[in-house]
Amino acid sequence: MQKVLALIGLIAIGFVVVIGMAVGSLFFLSAPQTAEAEAYAAEFLEEYGQEWEIAVLEAHGSEELLETAENLAEVTVFFQTQFGSLQSIDELSCPRWQRNVTPDNGQVFLAACYGQATFSQRRAYLDIIVRKQAGAWKVQRFYLNSMPETREAPAERSV
């Protein structure tokens, strides 16, 4: 009976060790990917936000982004007129990520990046999803949301 219990205990310990190693390796292997995602998102934003050139968006945009965007020229003109040129990226991080492996696409790494940036006309919240597939990074989604320009506390504003 002791041998059976010892065997069951060893199997349980082995199972826990294997699961722990799998989870640990997942985070260990994803940390460099997350850093690459942040660097790529910042590089894209700096390049696109300086002059708002459509060619930059076309070069960095994924097929899905380019297919779903109604009119890249209108979007680019809107960003240029509403935000102006990029002054600085105040904060950018990619806290959420996902790794998928499929027979059709191979390994795909998606990272959701959030932050804030200062443009010549206003500040904005950033929401960018970047994707690494077949060793190449692309922008899958890109949003800018205006930040209110008021410095008053919410309780101080009139309603």
Side-chain angles (χ1 to χ4, degrees):
M1 184 66 166
Q2 279 185 324
K3 289 183 181 182
V4 172
L5 290 175
L7 182 61
I8 291 172
L10 284 174
I11 291 172
I13 290 171
F15 182 72
V16 169
V17 167
V18 168
I19 295 296
M21 288 176 57
V23 170
S25 68
L26 180 67
F27 285 109
F28 178 73
L29 294 174
S30 296
Q33 299 285 353
T34 304
E36 281 183 43
E38 288 176 13
Y40 180 77
E43 174 187 320
F44 161 73
L45 186 61
E46 288 171 357
E47 191 175 339
Y48 184 49
Q50 290 298 319
E51 300 294 326
W52 299 109
E53 294 182 22
I54 297 173
V56 173
L57 185 58
E58 290 173 338
H60 288 276
S62 69
E63 302 82 32
E64 296 85 3
L65 175 68
L66 298 177
E67 287 174 5
T68 58
E70 295 280 329
N71 187 339
L72 295 178
E74 285 182 21
V75 170
T76 301
V77 168
F78 176 79
F79 286 153
Q80 186 176 31
T81 57
Q82 294 298 310
F83 293 96
S85 62
L86 178 69
Q87 303 296 308
S88 66
I89 298 173
D90 304 324
E91 175 184 327
L92 184 66
S93 65
C94 302
R96 295 186 179 150
W97 54 268
Q98 180 180 4
R99 181 189 311 267
N100 295 327
V101 178
T102 63
D104 297 334
N105 299 327
Q107 183 173 328
V108 178
F109 185 86
L110 293 165
C113 305
Y114 307 102
Q116 298 178 17
T118 301
F119 293 88
S120 60
Q121 295 180 16
R122 64 182 60 187
R123 291 179 37 83
Y125 293 110
L126 308 170
D127 182 358
I128 305 171
I129 294 182
V130 293
R131 177 187 76 201
K132 184 177 184 182
Q133 184 175 358
W137 285 100
K138 292 288 182 179
V139 176
Q140 185 140 346
R141 185 178 80 184
F142 175 64
Y143 290 111
L144 289 178
N145 298 308
S146 293
M147 295 176 73
E149 292 297 324
T150 183
R151 297 194 187 279
E152 294 176 348
E156 301 296 323
R157 294 184 215 144
S158 65
V159 286

